[in-house]
Amino acid sequence: MLRDLFTKLRLTADGKTPSRKRPVHGDHGEARDLKYIFRRRRYPGSREREYLVHLPPAYRAGLKLPVVMILHGCDQDHWDIRHVANFDRIADRHGIIVVYPFVTSYDPPRMRNCWAFWSTSHNRAGHGEVEDLWQIMNDVRKRYDADPARLHVAGLSSGAAMTIALLVNRCDRIASGAEIAGLPFAETAASIGQTPAPLKPVDRVVTTMNEAMGTRKRAVPLMIVQGNGDRVIGPAAAQNIRDSWSRCFSINTSKPVWADYGTRSGIAFEHNRYENRKNGARVETLFLEHSQHGWYGGRDGRYGFADAPDVSELIWSFFDANRLKTAERNRLFAWRPRFRKVA
């Protein structure tokens, strides 16, 4: 009995706690689920944060697997997004390391468990939440010797808005990203809700993106997913994300280079791809005739709706087709943010 209690309370030196989930056996081993504590770093706004890691059965030392980070939305935690996205099944099938960070703690005023996508204290490299997320991603990459050319991030709602912030600030290191019901870079918190404030003009968003990217600017591929009937974050936000990406990276969105439409799981959809083949820029949009705000096609749960096209599978297909090229990979770690030490 005392031994069981000790096991439950044990926290190892690297911040890992034992997983309660039984292993799932696969061809190359067994899936493992681990919990870690990210320790506060010495740059402004950093905090201690909890995160989960899923290792697929294919994982073994020396095999450089891709990493996908998935960010929860407001009124969710890392367990919720893991459940509704159901991305672990994709990971076990394709051999992917999945990371589920939890915002863990934050200063008020803020809706429960929201990421501070609107704040320059948290949406700029070297500061707060966006830097903590990158450091978590990089820690996982180093710990499991993952492929630095295949680091990807996806998120829902405020997690989608923070996904955009992470892609902008680490455009030279993250291969591609996907957002579901998110907001453009550095949009205001007041843009959420049934009576939202007007969205920032696209030109202003692009200016802010360029300032954040600076000389490291790279046309990072992005997939945009949006429910047309979403009353929390409406389709106008997705259109602004598309337009800001297309204008920033010179993508012609007047005519898609590829399109698909139809009905899956009883939900009509329109899926378009736009590209600039000269600079490798790509943006895809998936608009669904769905009235709810959440992750589509995974599991039912807190902001999760199973009866919809399988967005997790579509996101992985997008990620798998978009990785850093050799020239981009060679300069992955040539740039370092200048951190200001805090007490």
Side-chain angles (χ1 to χ4, degrees):
M1 187 173 182
L2 288 175
R3 183 177 179 181
D4 291 342
L5 180 61
F6 176 76
T7 300
K8 291 178 181 179
L9 295 176
R10 178 168 58 90
L11 183 67
T12 61
D14 67 353
K16 181 174 67 177
T17 57
S19 171
R20 296 182 181 180
K21 184 177 179 180
R22 296 178 63 185
V24 178
H25 294 275
D27 294 335
H28 305 288
E30 53 188 34
R32 286 183 286 164
D33 295 287
L34 306 162
K35 183 169 70 174
Y36 290 89
I37 301 297
F38 172 80
R39 302 300 180 189
R40 176 175 173 265
R41 303 286 170 91
R42 300 186 69 183
Y43 47 80
S46 183
R47 286 177 180 255
E48 188 173 281
R49 303 187 194 279
E50 187 176 296
Y51 64 98
L52 310 175
V53 173
H54 178 80
L55 295 179
Y59 171 75
R60 61 179 180 270
L63 183 62
K64 290 189 176 294
L65 298 179
V67 177
V68 172
M69 174 178 280
I70 299 184
L71 303 179
H72 65 79
C74 298
D75 200 31
Q76 281 187 319
D77 60 25
H78 46 347
W79 297 102
D80 292 324
I81 196 66
R82 179 183 173 190
H83 173 79
V84 299
N86 199 16
F87 209 90
D88 291 356
R89 66 192 164 87
I90 311 293
D92 291 348
R93 188 183 311 145
H94 297 285
I96 309 160
I97 299 169
V98 194
V99 190
Y100 302 95
F102 178 34
V103 68
T104 310
S105 67
Y106 44 87
D107 292 326
R110 195 186 297 194
M111 288 177 61
R112 177 180 175 267
N113 292 350
C114 278
W115 299 97
F117 58 86
W118 61 87
S119 171
T120 54
S121 298
H122 293 287
N123 65 17
R124 296 295 192 277
H127 295 78
E129 292 169 7
V130 78
E131 187 63 31
D132 283 352
L133 289 170
W134 166 247
Q135 294 299 330
I136 289 170
M137 172 84 84
N138 205 30
D139 285 353
V140 170
R141 179 192 66 83
K142 291 185 289 187
R143 183 183 299 124
Y144 297 109
D145 194 24
D147 188 346
R150 294 192 290 168
L151 306 179
H152 312 274
V153 60
L156 170 65
S157 194
S158 75
M162 191 54 81
T163 291
I164 296 293
L166 195 51
L167 293 175
V168 169
N169 284 282
R170 298 297 177 173
C171 56
D172 56 339
R173 304 193 188 186
I174 296 178
S176 62
E179 68 85 23
I180 302 176
L183 290 162
F185 180 58
E187 188 54 82
T188 64
S191 300
I192 300 175
Q194 294 189 9
T195 55
L199 295 166
K200 294 179 181 179
V202 171
D203 285 344
R204 183 178 169 189
V205 174
V206 172
T207 298
T208 310
M209 289 173 64
N210 282 323
E211 289 172 352
M213 288 185 287
T215 58
R216 298 170 293 108
K217 182 176 178 177
R218 166 182 165 266
V220 56
L222 173 66
M223 182 174 183
I224 298 165
V225 181
Q226 179 67 46
N228 284 329
D230 190 334
R231 295 184 180 181
V232 178
I233 298 179
Q239 293 161 4
N240 265 31
I241 296 171
R242 177 200 62 199
D243 294 345
S244 62
W245 229 254
S246 65
R247 198 167 301 179
C248 188
F249 301 120
S250 303
I251 305 171
N252 181 2
T253 55
S254 63
K255 183 178 180 180
V257 298
W258 173 89
D260 185 25
Y261 59 91
T263 302
R264 292 180 190 167
S265 302
I267 301 296
F269 69 90
E270 183 177 350
H271 190 174
N272 291 313
R273 179 184 302 149
Y274 308 93
E275 292 180 350
N276 180 337
R277 290 172 179 167
K278 292 183 179 179
N279 67 3
R282 174 181 291 181
V283 62
E284 288 192 14
T285 59
L286 176 62
F287 286 94
L288 308 170
E289 292 303 324
H290 204 292
S291 62
Q292 300 298 321
H293 179 74
W295 194 287
Y296 307 116
R299 292 193 187 110
D300 289 326
R302 184 181 291 274
Y303 302 106
F305 307 97
D307 291 336
D310 190 347
V311 164
S312 293
E313 187 69 64
L314 292 169
I315 285 174
W316 171 245
S317 295
F318 180 79
F319 288 169
D320 195 34
N322 293 284
R323 58 187 72 185
L324 287 175
K325 298 176 183 178
T326 303
E328 296 167 336
R329 188 166 64 245
N330 287 342
R331 60 186 178 88
L332 268 176
F333 300 100
W335 177 83
R336 295 286 188 276
R338 294 183 178 181
F339 296 143
R340 176 171 59 83
K341 292 184 178 181
V342 295

